[in-house]
């Protein structure tokens, strides 16, 4: 580990808005604030919104600044990334921001039933080779159900055509209500409730979606369309995976080509 990362980790240990529970820790120590985020950390009764895979925390911090009456928690396993957003939130004295360093696979260990209103997935790894690691798979959606309110909202913002197509098929297969869907967020085409319309998102939504992450700027510079959808996740009903071959992206991350020689995957 580089000296810079070690310094960030050491400094982050002093941050009052960061909770660090990598899998090796949470498997041994229960998270006592589960079900008590509002009373023990935020000290209010406002809604809680999670950003899973928050990276540097641009969305978490940006949304918190725009909506001071909502609580936001950024979640990521990479401490060096979280450091950036956590430090900014402290410097700007944002009381409605927290960061949780842990594996998203165990996210349900940190939140109680009905404790969270919405989830944001911003530029998640599409995990083209492993369906169970995709953050919109049945594996994860069933975990979200353990703490998300009934018909809570899941937002997906991505550059990946593979992940967007997969999530679209997941939503259709399970009849999940779609609130917005667009394959070109910064263009004009928007799909509402499954029907295409030549219209723009409303101004409030446009402002929210206009917050750019570090990775998003890279994709925009490459001329890739940014895709977005939001859908309701009901608390009940069996979720099933779509049995459809999907064309793979020709890359896996910025400036990195995909490893597999395959052209499609389920």
């Amino acid at each position: 580990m580089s000296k810079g990362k070690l310094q960030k980790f050491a400094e982050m240990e002093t941050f009052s808005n960061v909770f660090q529970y990598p899998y090796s820790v949470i498997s041994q120590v229960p998270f006592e604030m589960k079900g008590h985020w509002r009373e023990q950390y935020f000290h209010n009764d406002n809604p809680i919104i999670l950003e899973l895979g928050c990276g540097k925390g641009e969305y978490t911090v940006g949304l918190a600044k725009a909506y001071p009456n909502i609580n936001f928690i950024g979640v990521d396993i990479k401490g060096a990334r979280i450091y950036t957003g956590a430090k900014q939130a402290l410097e700007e004295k944002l009381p409605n921001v927290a960061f949780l360093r842990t594996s998203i696979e165990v996210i349900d260990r940190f939140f109680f039933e009905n404790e969270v209103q919405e989830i944001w997935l911003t530029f998640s790894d599409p995990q083209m080779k492993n369906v169970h690691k995709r953050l919109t798979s049945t594996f994860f959606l069933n975990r979200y159900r353990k703490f998300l309110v009934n018909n809570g909202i899941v937002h997906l913002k991505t550059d990946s055509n593979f992940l967007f197509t997969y999530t679209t098929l997941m939503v259709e297969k399970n009849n999940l209500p779609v609130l917005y869907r667009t394959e070109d967020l910064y263009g004009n085409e928007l799909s509402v409730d499954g029907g295409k319309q030549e219209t723009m998102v409303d101004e409030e939504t446009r402002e929210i979606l206009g917050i750019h992450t570090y990775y998003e700027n890279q994709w925009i510079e490459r001329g890739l369309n940014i895709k977005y959808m939001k859908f309701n996740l009901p608390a009940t009903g069996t979720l099933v995976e779509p049995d459809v071959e999907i064309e793979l992206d020709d890359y896996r991350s910025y400036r990195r080509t995909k490893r597999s020689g395959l052209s499609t995957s389920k």
Side-chain angles (χ1 to χ4, degrees), residues 47-134:
I48 293 177
I49 295 178
L50 306 186
E51 183 189 4
L52 302 182
C54 68
K56 296 176 182 292
E58 298 101 318
Y59 246 85
T60 300
V61 172
L63 289 171
K65 291 168 69 174
Y67 298 93
N69 293 323
I70 298 178
N71 303 316
F72 295 90
I73 303 173
V75 182
D76 205 296
I77 192 59
K78 300 290 187 180
R81 295 178 183 173
I82 283 179
Y83 171 89
T84 301
K87 187 174 181 65
Q88 181 184 352
L90 288 175
E91 290 175 344
E92 297 188 20
K93 296 181 172 57
L94 300 175
N96 59 329
V97 179
F99 288 90
L100 175 62
R101 180 179 168 239
T102 194
S103 300
I104 299 176
E105 286 84 352
V106 294
I107 190 63
D108 54 305
R109 299 190 186 188
F110 297 89
F111 301 95
F112 194 68
E113 183 180 358
N114 296 321
E115 193 169 16
V116 175
Q117 277 64 49
E118 298 183 24
I119 292 173
W120 278 85
L121 307 173
T122 52
F123 299 92
S124 309
D125 187 328
Q127 297 289 349
M128 294 183 284
K129 295 175 63 177
N130 190 337
V131 62
H132 297 298
K133 290 187 176 182
R134 296 171 201 158

Side-chain angles (χ1 to χ4, degrees), residues 28 42 45 51 58 121 157 175 195 198-199 248:
Q28 302 294 327
F42 293 112
D45 293 323
E51 183 189 4
E58 298 101 318
L121 307 173
K157 191 178 183 186
N175 296 312
E198 292 297 323
T199 184
L248 299 178

Side-chain angles (χ1 to χ4, degrees), residues 1-9 80:
M1 187 178 296
S2 68
K3 184 177 179 180
K5 283 189 177 181
L6 288 174
Q7 290 176 337
K8 287 181 178 179
F9 277 119

Side-chain angles (χ1 to χ4, degrees), residues 49 59 63 66-67 70 72 118 120 155 180 185 200-211 228 230:
I49 295 178
Y59 246 85
L63 289 171
Y67 298 93
I70 298 178
F72 295 90
E118 298 183 24
W120 278 85
H155 304 260
Y180 282 129
L185 180 60
M200 301 287 283
V201 295
D202 61 86
E203 286 303 317
E204 182 180 14
T205 304
R206 177 68 62 182
E207 182 178 352
I208 294 172
L209 296 173
I211 300 172
Y228 168 74
K230 65 176 178 177

Side-chain angles (χ1 to χ4, degrees), residues 15-245:
F15 288 1
S16 60
N17 62 351
V18 176
F19 302 88
Q20 301 194 66
Y21 284 83
Y23 190 83
S24 59
V25 174
I26 193 60
S27 62
Q28 302 294 327
V29 181
F31 187 68
E32 295 182 354
M33 205 160 62
K34 179 179 180 178
H36 303 287
W37 280 91
R38 290 183 179 86
E39 60 188 85
Q40 294 186 11
Y41 179 79
F42 293 112
H43 306 295
N44 61 50
D45 293 323
N46 296 333
I48 293 177
I49 295 178
L50 306 186
E51 183 189 4
L52 302 182
C54 68
K56 296 176 182 292
E58 298 101 318
Y59 246 85
T60 300
V61 172
L63 289 171
K65 291 168 69 174
Y67 298 93
N69 293 323
I70 298 178
N71 303 316
F72 295 90
I73 303 173
V75 182
D76 205 296
I77 192 59
K78 300 290 187 180
R81 295 178 183 173
I82 283 179
Y83 171 89
T84 301
K87 187 174 181 65
Q88 181 184 352
L90 288 175
E91 290 175 344
E92 297 188 20
K93 296 181 172 57
L94 300 175
N96 59 329
V97 179
F99 288 90
L100 175 62
R101 180 179 168 239
T102 194
S103 300
I104 299 176
E105 286 84 352
V106 294
I107 190 63
D108 54 305
R109 299 190 186 188
F110 297 89
F111 301 95
F112 194 68
E113 183 180 358
N114 296 321
E115 193 169 16
V116 175
Q117 277 64 49
E118 298 183 24
I119 292 173
W120 278 85
L121 307 173
T122 52
F123 299 92
S124 309
D125 187 328
Q127 297 289 349
M128 294 183 284
K129 295 175 63 177
N130 190 337
V131 62
H132 297 298
K133 290 187 176 182
R134 296 171 201 158
L135 294 189
T136 53
S137 67
T138 56
F139 178 88
F140 281 101
L141 293 183
N142 280 321
R143 275 163 173 71
Y144 305 157
R145 281 174 155 183
K146 294 180 180 180
F147 55 81
L148 195 63
V149 297
N150 184 35
N151 287 318
I153 297 175
V154 178
H155 304 260
L156 173 68
K157 191 178 183 186
T158 183
D159 62 282
S160 169
N161 186 66
F162 178 88
L163 181 59
F164 192 75
T165 302
Y166 166 78
T167 305
T168 297
L169 292 170
M170 271 289 297
V171 165
E172 292 175 349
K173 181 74 173 180
N174 294 284
N175 296 312
L176 303 180
V178 176
L179 304 176
Y180 282 129
R181 181 184 180 280
T182 176
E183 297 184 13
D184 186 4
L185 180 60
Y186 302 115
N188 291 325
E189 183 180 323
L190 173 68
S191 175
V192 181
D193 294 332
K196 292 185 177 180
Q197 300 179 3
E198 292 297 323
T199 184
M200 301 287 283
V201 295
D202 61 86
E203 286 303 317
E204 182 180 14
T205 304
R206 177 68 62 182
E207 182 178 352
I208 294 172
L209 296 173
I211 300 172
H212 289 182
T213 69
Y214 170 77
Y215 294 104
E216 180 172 5
N217 286 329
Q218 293 179 335
W219 304 132
I220 291 174
E221 288 174 3
R222 290 182 60 179
L224 296 179
N225 286 358
I226 304 302
K227 304 162 185 64
Y228 168 74
M229 77 167 71
K230 65 176 178 177
F231 58 91
N232 293 121
L233 181 59
T236 59
T238 301
L239 298 174
V240 296
E241 292 287 337
D243 187 21
V244 179
E245 290 286 336

